[in-house]
Amino acid sequence: MRKNSVKNIRINTEVMHELSNIIRSEIKDPRVSALTSVTAAEVTPDLKFCKAYISVLGTDEEKKNTIKGLKSAEGYIRRALASGINLRNTPEITFVLDDSIEYGVNMSKLINEINAKSSDDSSEDEMPDDAVEE
């Protein structure tokens, strides 16, 4: 199986959805933040290894604790993944912190601030209708 084959993409998507369900509903570790999401999963073509990209909305301390909690529950997550998805091999999962969602939110805030400033500047430049020029 090739890396970007239809089968591999389908497996990546299915693993991502199943990991999301497991983390959201079955993990009871208090270190794992409630605002944790799986942004992507990359399973190798031989189905031996998986990189799960995890996004956590919160402080740096919450992010570190969430990754520690997920790494300590790796065996349970792998077993739950094996029962949820019927694959020839159940991949070993490596959790990687992904800041792309937080980066996108920050960029969106900056764009909104710039748009608000530019609309304020343009409204100040316009003269009101009731003002009389002398």
Side-chain angles (χ1 to χ4, degrees):
M1 178 171 54
R2 292 191 179 125
K3 185 172 183 175
N4 291 325
S5 69
V6 174
K7 183 178 178 184
N8 196 7
I9 292 170
R10 192 174 65 232
I11 289 172
N12 289 342
T13 305
E14 190 63 33
V15 167
M16 183 182 76
H17 288 297
E18 190 64 29
L19 283 175
S20 295
N21 290 336
I22 293 167
I23 291 171
R24 183 182 65 241
S25 62
E26 297 181 27
I27 300 295
K28 305 295 185 211
D29 193 334
R31 294 178 290 182
V32 178
S33 172
L35 300 173
T36 301
S37 60
V38 180
T39 57
E42 293 179 358
V43 180
T44 57
D46 62 355
L47 305 176
K48 298 281 185 184
F49 302 98
C50 173
K51 271 189 191 176
Y53 294 93
I54 306 295
S55 178
V56 180
L57 193 60
T59 64
D60 288 337
E61 188 66 28
E62 289 174 333
K63 292 176 186 180
K64 289 177 187 175
N65 287 337
T66 297
I67 294 296
K68 285 180 185 176
L70 290 174
K71 285 183 180 178
S72 70
E74 186 177 335
Y76 174 78
I77 294 171
R78 187 174 180 199
R79 205 168 30 256
L81 184 65
S83 66
I85 298 176
N86 186 16
L87 292 174
R88 188 176 8 168
N89 297 318
T90 304
E92 290 182 29
I93 304 166
T94 304
F95 296 103
V96 179
L97 188 61
D98 184 18
D99 292 329
S100 62
I101 292 177
E102 187 174 350
Y103 178 77
V105 169
N106 288 336
M107 291 304 286
S108 180
K109 282 182 187 177
L110 291 174
I111 290 170
N112 290 339
E113 288 175 8
I114 290 171
N115 286 338
K117 286 181 183 178
S118 66
S119 66
D120 289 345
D121 292 343
S122 64
S123 65
E124 289 175 3
D125 293 343
E126 295 175 6
M127 199 179 257
D129 292 337
D130 59 344
V132 178
E133 291 183 21
E134 293 181 19

